[in-house]
Amino acid sequence: MVTVDQLTPPGVDLRLVGRAHRAVEPLHSHHYFSPEHEEQLAATGLRPGRMAYFAGRAAPMGAVGPGTVVATFYNFSPSLVARHVPRCWTLASPDAVVAARWASATASLTRLLGDTPTEKVAELGDLLAEACTALTPEARPLYAAHADVPWPTDPVGRLWHAATLLREHRGDGHLMALQLHGLPGPEALVTHTATGRGFTVEAAQRTRGWSPEEWTAAQQRLTERGLLDEHGLTEDGVALRGAVEEATDMLSVQPFEHLGADRTGRVVELAKGMARTLVANGAYPAGVLAGSSR
């Protein structure tokens, strides 16, 4: 059996790879909680909320149907997706949505970064853009669609686009890891919230569209597999989630292998500082993320 260690390039620290991706991710994900996102996408004719989210993230793939969104977004209830897709494309074209998303992301990131020095924004943007040159599209449909969108020229837009490409490339790989370890959408979400990271249970159920009955059914399936009990993840459940994250890191190693340890360390330093600024400036609403008061 081939192990993660055997697949990891020599000299690459997977822990550093994971830290770099986690440090960069808020530079992308803050956008979904911003008022600019709702305002700009609603101005195209989309309905605020889940429709704007689904259409905004899917638009680079074109006017796709609900099946494609369910497959590439993975942990959303198919019934929730079907309420908004493909109706969203009758209200706004994919091209209009892509343009609105760019405008909203640049505006929200500019606002939330506050007085972050321009030279640091440009430095991180350049590092991440260089990291993106190592990304490849094979088996990465959501990444590949976003990679076809032209790069912006302004420093903030460049930073957001690079963070988005890294996030979607890693996300596509994460879905491979979840499939390999037998965690379909609901079970993936339940086990992730059980780690105490990411969304709170209430936010996960609400934003991903799973009913209490569906959530309980997923918990029961995990219990039958010995991965969950009344206290949370079992020892086997913790090990499985650890294996998923390790495989995800291995599948997203290319950009930071390309940068090397020193430049990756600089990415972590810069991105963590900017993420702290985003949080301090109110990027995330209260009650959404576990383990914090955000």
Side-chain angles (χ1 to χ4, degrees), residues 172-276:
D172 286 337
H174 185 57
L175 304 193
M176 299 179 204
L178 290 169
Q179 283 283 296
L180 178 65
H181 291 88
L183 291 176
E187 283 89 334
L189 202 56
V190 170
T191 54
H192 191 237
T193 58
T195 67
R197 300 175 181 176
F199 286 124
T200 62
V201 171
E202 190 276 334
Q205 289 179 326
R206 183 183 72 252
T207 61
R208 268 51 184 168
W210 299 104
S211 68
E213 294 77 17
E214 290 169 324
W215 190 269
T216 299
Q219 289 177 316
Q220 181 59 39
R221 291 190 293 271
L222 291 165
T223 300
E224 291 169 357
R225 292 175 61 185
L227 302 174
L228 194 72
D229 61 23
E230 66 272 17
H231 304 295
L233 290 176
T234 63
E235 184 175 335
D236 286 346
V238 171
L240 184 66
R241 280 302 317 191
V244 167
E245 297 307 321
E246 187 176 44
T248 301
D249 288 340
M250 186 273 292
L251 289 166
S252 62
V253 76
Q254 302 96 325
F256 297 114
E257 178 191 14
H258 175 70
L259 284 188
D262 289 345
R263 289 195 292 175
T264 298
R266 181 59 173 162
V267 165
V268 173
E269 178 185 2
L270 288 168
K272 276 192 171 181
M274 292 183 199
R276 284 193 291 267

Side-chain angles (χ1 to χ4, degrees), residues 51-126:
M51 179 184 284
Y53 172 80
F54 292 139
R57 195 169 165 215
M61 295 189 288
V64 295
T68 300
V69 173
V70 169
T72 53
F73 289 25
Y74 198 78
N75 62 17
F76 287 84
S77 165
S79 63
L80 175 64
V81 174
R83 287 204 292 271
H84 302 293
V85 181
R87 181 169 179 257
C88 57
W89 310 127
T90 70
L91 303 175
S93 71
D95 285 346
V97 174
V98 168
R101 192 172 188 245
W102 276 118
S104 63
T106 301
S108 66
L109 191 53
T110 299
R111 171 177 58 84
L112 290 167
L113 284 174
D115 59 0
T116 300
T118 302
E119 59 269 22
K120 286 190 175 182
V121 172
E123 181 186 359
L124 182 57
D126 287 344

Side-chain angles (χ1 to χ4, degrees), residues 23 26-27 113 270-280 284 294:
L27 299 175
L113 284 174
L270 288 168
K272 276 192 171 181
M274 292 183 199
R276 284 193 291 267
T277 299
L278 298 184
V279 172
Y284 298 95
R294 290 181 288 181

Side-chain angles (χ1 to χ4, degrees), residues 4-29:
V4 169
D5 287 340
Q6 290 171 311
L7 292 172
T8 303
V12 171
D13 183 353
L14 280 185
R15 293 171 298 179
L16 179 59
V17 169
R19 287 199 298 274
H21 280 291
R22 288 190 293 274
V24 170
E25 198 274 342
L27 299 175
H28 164 81
S29 66

